[in-house]
Amino acid sequence: MNKINFRKIPAKNIDVLIIDEYGFDFLKECIPKSASCTVIPLPNNISLTIPFAMSIRFIFNCLLKSLRGKKKLIVLLESLIETTNPKAIISFNDNNTFMGELQSKYPEILVISVQNGIRVDYPSSHGGWDKSALIPNYCGFGDYEKGFMLEKMVLIREYIKAGSLKLGLVLSEIDSKLNEVYDICFISAFRHKKELAGQRMVEPMLKTQKLLFDIISGICACNNYSLAVAMTYEISSENYDVELDYYRAGIDYSHIQFLPNNLTSFDSYHNGFSSKLVIALWSTLSIELFGAGKRTIFGGILHTQQKDIYTKLFENMPSEVLLYEQDEDHIGEKIEALLNMTDNEYLEKTALARDYYMRCERPYPHEMIRKRIAEHLNIPVE
């Protein structure tokens, strides 16, 4: 039986309902200061979180909707909405279908999904984006996601080319031209799964990544390039030492800086911006940095098991930023060419791709969304 946690529903109506605690630290910057706001957690595979209040209306709605055979999550969300009467709903959990269902049922409410990661044609990535799936007002990274949605034949209320919420928050606080401390920053895509089946699924990618990293490490040692690794896990994580051992295995790592992640700050972004060149198989962070003008190399096509997926993802990237062979000479030539390229030449060669994958200009996503919510609520933006 699922564990049930009870959360209190506000006794009065609210302006904005945030669905899911994930990304709240970023989404709160999208909410006008004068707007009332409540966060409702979503269930996961361990526990079912149920909102609770001594509200006859809420309980009655839950019972009535359950008798109509609706899904448990929809029962809870619809009952919550009809109890608190929010004027706007927002979520950082973007690859789902329930937000579109809520928009369809409550057309007078402004429903916004904010993209949190690059989406590719793989079920664990695009989630419920199947034919005729409903998508509400969707704040996406760039043109790539809109094209991907159209290919999946989903029904979008409105696609807003906004850019990355997290990247926008970073750029609104720092200069993307930070002092470049490292020549190369390798962005880790390491994953460690407790379940054996899950670990077996990621092993092919981990082998591809380790081969690439070992070649890059050797190139850096021979050319006296400084090398840093932006780690996946925080130093407090039980998986940090596992990740560290993975990268250190079989090589001389004395010239490499391993930089722990920090999920409560933007350290990974700072590490990327503090490097002359960023290299990754592929990740949302690497595409964000690319969009912001950072010199970037992507090695996703080297992962032969999912080559078609990443070939499709990178089809609008210039060849200068893509690796096609797991070969030291090929990779070394790509690195040298980008490091020696002038800023103007690099920005000119990548201009179309950067705009296609990642809008990166003012107003930033949090500014755009805050203004839109304020206009819908008819209140001041600040």
Side-chain angles (χ1 to χ4, degrees):
M1 178 160 180
N2 288 324
K3 177 183 176 183
I4 300 177
N5 299 316
F6 293 94
R7 302 294 181 100
K8 189 172 179 62
I9 295 175
K12 58 183 180 180
N13 293 349
I14 58 173
D15 292 322
V16 183
L17 176 66
I18 297 178
I19 294 182
D20 199 0
E21 292 173 313
Y22 173 66
F24 170 72
D25 287 338
F26 315 120
L27 285 179
K28 67 183 181 182
E29 301 300 327
C30 302
I31 311 302
K33 291 181 180 179
S34 60
S36 58
C37 176
T38 289
V39 183
I40 182 68
L42 283 184
N44 55 40
N45 59 354
I46 299 174
S47 65
L48 177 64
T49 304
I50 295 182
F52 177 80
M54 295 305 293
S55 166
I56 294 176
R57 184 181 180 188
F58 173 76
I59 296 171
F60 176 77
N61 280 337
C62 282
L63 291 173
L64 184 61
K65 293 174 186 297
S66 296
L67 291 173
R68 290 174 179 169
K70 292 194 172 187
K71 295 178 182 178
K72 195 175 295 183
L73 176 62
I74 296 298
V75 166
L76 295 172
L77 292 176
E78 288 185 1
S79 299
L80 177 66
I81 289 167
E82 291 169 17
T83 302
T84 59
N85 296 308
K87 298 180 180 69
I89 300 172
I90 189 169
S91 180
F92 206 39
N93 188 330
D94 67 294
N95 57 340
N96 60 64
T97 57
F98 64 78
M99 290 288 282
E101 293 176 35
L102 295 178
Q103 180 71 91
S104 179
K105 184 171 179 63
Y106 307 102
E108 73 284 1
I109 298 177
L110 175 64
V111 181
I112 300 175
S113 286
V114 181
Q115 185 176 359
N116 72 65
I118 287 287
R119 302 297 167 209
V120 296
D121 198 7
Y122 198 75
S124 62
S125 175
H126 66 69
W129 290 358
D130 295 317
K131 185 177 180 180
S132 300
L134 300 175
I135 307 295
N137 302 287
Y138 187 90
C139 291
F141 289 166
D143 297 314
Y144 164 78
E145 275 75 22
K146 183 176 182 179
F148 182 70
M149 286 180 168
L150 293 175
E151 285 184 7
K152 302 299 289 184
M153 300 179 70
V154 301
L155 304 176
I156 314 169
R157 169 84 170 237
E158 181 183 358
Y159 185 90
I160 303 146
K161 183 179 175 179
S164 162
L165 174 59
K166 291 170 68 176
L167 178 62
L169 290 169
V170 172
L171 293 178
S172 65
E173 295 180 356
I174 69 166
D175 183 350
S176 62
K177 291 293 291 183
L178 294 174
N179 290 332
E180 292 177 333
V181 179
Y182 309 106
D183 291 316
I184 296 175
C185 178
F186 187 86
I187 297 178
S188 174
F190 181 82
R191 297 291 183 271
H192 183 66
K193 307 288 186 179
K194 291 184 177 179
E195 303 81 10
L196 184 59
Q199 189 61 28
R200 283 176 177 167
M201 287 184 66
V202 300
E203 279 299 329
M205 180 276 291
L206 294 179
K207 289 180 180 178
T208 301
Q209 179 178 245
K210 186 64 166 73
L211 286 171
L212 174 60
F213 178 75
D214 287 357
I215 292 173
I216 292 168
S217 173
I219 292 171
C220 289
C222 290
N223 292 276
N224 202 28
Y225 296 147
S226 55
L227 174 62
V229 181
M231 304 283 273
T232 296
Y233 292 104
E234 297 180 286
I235 200 165
S236 59
S237 169
E238 61 182 356
N239 291 328
Y240 179 79
D241 286 338
V242 180
E243 183 178 13
L244 197 60
D245 291 342
Y246 161 83
Y247 281 110
R248 287 178 169 178
I251 63 168
D252 175 11
Y253 52 84
S254 59
H255 62 292
I256 305 172
Q257 292 288 322
F258 296 94
L259 308 174
N261 201 350
N262 187 335
L263 298 177
T264 60
S265 70
F266 295 113
D267 285 3
S268 293
Y269 292 88
H270 296 167
N271 294 333
F273 282 126
S274 299
S275 306
K276 293 179 182 177
L277 173 65
V278 169
I279 303 178
L281 277 184
W282 79 279
S283 66
T284 296
L285 175 59
S286 62
I287 293 180
E288 287 171 312
L289 292 169
F290 172 77
K294 178 56 59 179
R295 298 169 198 235
T296 309
I297 290 177
F298 301 97
I301 296 174
L302 301 177
H303 182 34
T304 56
Q305 191 177 65
Q306 295 178 325
K307 185 173 183 176
D308 291 346
I309 290 175
Y310 296 115
T311 299
K312 178 69 174 174
L313 170 63
F314 294 130
E315 67 179 356
N316 284 295
M317 286 286 185
S319 60
E320 287 86 352
V321 303
L322 297 178
L323 296 177
Y324 300 100
E325 302 171 36
Q326 194 78 275
D327 173 77
E328 183 174 348
D329 290 339
H330 173 72
I331 295 169
E333 288 171 4
K334 293 278 186 174
I335 290 173
E336 184 178 1
L338 284 187
L339 288 177
N340 292 332
M341 198 176 287
T342 65
D343 288 345
N344 287 341
E345 184 182 2
Y346 177 77
L347 293 176
E348 183 179 344
K349 284 180 178 291
T350 60
L352 292 176
R354 286 185 288 111
D355 179 69
Y356 177 77
Y357 287 98
M358 186 67 59
R359 178 187 176 275
C360 192
E361 60 189 57
R362 278 231 144 95
Y364 293 128
H366 63 288
E367 297 164 338
M368 296 173 67
I369 297 168
R370 188 191 302 145
K371 182 175 185 291
R372 180 136 186 192
I373 292 175
E375 289 174 346
H376 185 75
L377 299 179
N378 196 25
I379 59 175
V381 176
E382 296 291 346

